[in-house]
Amino acid sequence: MPIIKAMSEQIYDLFADSPYGKALSQKVRYAHYKPEGLSNEEWVRILGPDVNNLEHLRETLKITNEFIDRARNPHPEWRLGKLNFSPEEEELLRLAAIVHDWGEAMTGDIGWHRKTSETDVAKEFAALHKIIEEVCRPELDDALLKKIYQAADIAFMRGGSRLDQAFNAIEYIGYGNNALRAWSEREHYSGEMQELLAGLGKKLIVENFPICEKYAEIYPGNHYFILQNEKILKEIQDADIDWRDVPILANN
């Protein structure tokens, strides 16, 4: 019997097989920190599949599924009870994970530290809509298209619902995972590469962890992430590293 894929996985495959998906697969996240001469493949090997822009969508879906499961089945240390998302809300969160960075196939990956202009966000949002029309409309019915557009609104915090905040909380778990990976990988290097990875881990924690902490008061998924990684997160926070020294490389 053939395996029936979930809707979110089907949408991922539809995008991945498109010219936009193929373009995104050639890009890497945090490229502005990647040393000159280091290939994209090696950067992904060091920092994990989440730094490949296409694979990042699937990795975010994994985090989303864990976030949803943690909401249904909180860990014993969580004292606020279950957080109930309806099946429709869960579906929209999964779709948001899949589509949230599609626009970067056209605009490029604007790092979180640079995406401060409303113009940048508007351009990426418009690009996402263009890709939905070109890739999805010929293949999907109107009901599913409507859900994908809803998911796009959620990903850009324009949905006007509690799911906007929930998806943002999911993304901050992702930043935390990236920080932990960079920090652990630093041990395998020396010199400038070690300093770069340590600095990147520190930078990601300094700039993103306080928001993740706030979400940990609302969502079991964020609470569990912090609880599970408490020791290493404290190690990064206490490290005597000036994260401002992490070089942003002009060639990237």
Side-chain angles (χ1 to χ4, degrees):
M1 179 180 295
I3 297 173
I4 300 174
K5 290 188 175 181
M7 180 190 302
S8 54
E9 294 173 332
Q10 293 179 47
I11 303 303
Y12 173 86
D13 289 344
L14 184 63
F15 173 76
D17 290 339
S18 74
Y20 294 112
K22 290 179 171 61
L24 205 61
S25 72
Q26 301 304 309
K27 302 175 185 293
V28 291
R29 303 173 71 215
Y30 310 118
H32 36 283
Y33 300 112
K34 182 169 71 69
E36 187 175 6
L38 192 73
S39 70
N40 285 353
E41 290 75 17
E42 183 65 8
W43 191 237
V44 172
R45 189 196 66 77
I46 294 168
L47 289 176
D50 193 51
V51 301
N52 175 278
N53 281 81
L54 180 61
E55 286 298 314
H56 168 64
L57 305 177
R58 188 149 42 194
E59 293 298 312
T60 304
L61 177 59
K62 290 180 184 177
I63 296 171
T64 302
N65 283 328
E66 292 168 2
F67 181 90
I68 290 170
D69 184 64
R70 193 62 56 183
R72 292 174 181 166
N73 306 290
H75 47 292
E77 295 84 357
W78 179 255
R79 302 301 182 191
L80 299 181
K82 293 181 181 180
L83 185 65
N84 294 314
F85 294 108
S86 70
E88 293 76 18
E89 288 175 324
E90 293 177 354
E91 181 179 72
L92 285 171
L93 285 174
R94 293 188 181 101
L95 285 173
I98 290 302
V99 309
H100 75 282
D101 276 349
W102 283 12
E104 292 182 359
M106 294 177 64
T107 65
D109 183 7
I110 303 171
W112 87 95
H113 70 293
R114 293 177 173 179
K115 200 181 291 183
T116 55
S117 166
E118 188 60 34
T119 301
D120 290 335
V121 176
K123 284 181 180 178
E124 187 179 334
F125 191 64
L128 170 54
H129 276 229
K130 182 177 188 297
I131 292 170
I132 291 171
E133 284 298 307
E134 291 186 17
V135 173
C136 298
R137 184 167 291 282
E139 303 292 335
L140 306 175
D141 61 38
D142 288 345
L144 184 48
L145 271 173
K146 182 179 178 181
K147 290 180 181 179
I148 292 173
Y149 275 114
Q150 284 180 281
D153 285 343
I154 289 164
F156 280 76
M157 300 191 75
R158 298 183 180 191
S161 74
R162 69 179 185 143
L163 298 185
D164 297 18
Q165 179 178 262
F167 184 70
N168 197 237
I170 288 166
E171 290 208 273
Y172 276 92
I173 295 173
Y175 289 136
N177 286 337
N178 296 153
L180 297 180
R181 177 70 179 237
W183 188 256
S184 65
E185 283 294 314
R186 86 195 191 287
E187 299 177 353
H188 304 305
Y189 297 89
S190 60
E192 290 184 356
M193 190 64 179
Q194 184 181 68
E195 292 176 7
L196 186 151
L197 292 172
L200 179 57
K202 178 79 172 185
K203 185 180 182 76
L204 284 164
I205 289 301
V206 168
E207 295 199 341
N208 296 298
F209 185 68
I211 300 175
C212 193
E213 279 189 308
K214 290 180 180 178
Y215 283 139
E217 298 173 3
I218 305 170
Y219 302 109
N222 296 75
H223 185 271
Y224 183 73
F225 169 77
I226 292 173
L227 187 68
Q228 188 181 38
N229 299 291
E230 189 173 13
K231 183 177 179 181
I232 189 168
L233 288 169
K234 187 176 188 309
E235 180 182 323
I236 298 172
Q237 288 174 304
D238 292 346
D240 186 18
I241 297 172
D242 188 346
W243 58 269
R244 298 173 185 82
D245 290 339
V246 183
I248 297 177
L249 304 175
N251 63 296
N252 291 307

